Amino acid sequence: MQKRIHVAVGVIINQHKQILLAKRHDHLHQGGKWEFPGGKVEQNETVTAALIRELKEEVDLDVNSTTAFMDISHDYPDKQVRLDIHLVTDFNGQATGVEGQQIQWVELQSISEYEFPEANKPIVDKLLTLPW
């Protein structure tokens, strides 16, 4: 049976309407590709709590609130992922790659130039349809 992983994902948008992306380390699943920061939801943890914790651990941002954006289930050959995606516009701090990962603030119109894991493609597509 495939492993099922529940992931809280943050589409972090700053006051300049740029979106924060992080590059996955090469040794990880889907390594070398760009993604929206986030991480696994632990047992007995809400998606919002997981996202706040993960964004502090990964990119050193203090998140004040999040807004549910979309929910995606995606099957890779070796695992199933459920992405619980939230928009994050209310946060404090300067983003930094705490785990040594490359991070970048990206203009929405250039987001499709980045290579994402398959499961992230519907997020990119939906972001491109938003009225900014």
Side-chain angles (χ1 to χ4, degrees):
M1 190 172 131
Q2 282 189 327
K3 233 164 67 166
R4 295 195 62 164
I5 301 169
H6 187 192
V7 181
V9 176
V11 176
I12 306 164
I13 305 166
N14 68 15
Q15 69 273 25
H16 307 294
K17 301 283 187 227
Q18 295 167 315
I19 297 170
L20 186 67
L21 299 181
K23 193 167 195 180
R24 294 182 65 80
H25 287 295
D26 288 339
H27 68 276
L28 296 175
H29 183 261
Q30 299 287 311
K33 295 182 178 175
W34 292 89
E35 66 178 354
F36 303 97
K40 289 187 191 80
V41 178
E42 302 296 340
Q43 207 169 349
N44 302 322
E45 190 177 37
T46 67
V47 173
T48 300
L51 192 55
I52 289 170
R53 176 181 53 75
E54 286 284 349
L55 295 182
K56 183 64 180 171
E57 292 172 4
E58 272 189 39
V59 293
D60 199 25
L61 291 179
D62 294 306
V63 174
N64 300 313
S65 65
T66 72
T67 307
F69 181 58
M70 62 191 300
D71 195 320
I72 298 172
S73 290
H74 186 84
D75 295 345
Y76 286 105
D78 56 336
K79 63 173 89 172
Q80 280 185 314
V81 292
R82 175 176 170 213
L83 304 181
D84 239 316
I85 302 112
H86 284 226
L87 295 179
V88 179
T89 55
D90 184 7
F91 61 89
N92 298 313
Q94 286 293 97
T96 178
V98 176
E99 299 166 344
Q101 76 278 37
Q102 197 181 334
I103 62 166
Q104 201 165 324
W105 287 105
V106 174
E107 302 288 340
L108 179 65
Q109 57 271 27
S110 60
I111 201 166
S112 48
E113 296 165 21
Y114 291 79
E115 187 184 3
F116 289 90
E118 273 306 307
N120 282 210
K121 294 197 171 143
I123 306 171
V124 172
D125 292 344
K126 184 167 178 179
L127 284 172
L128 290 170
T129 68
L130 289 182
W132 291 78

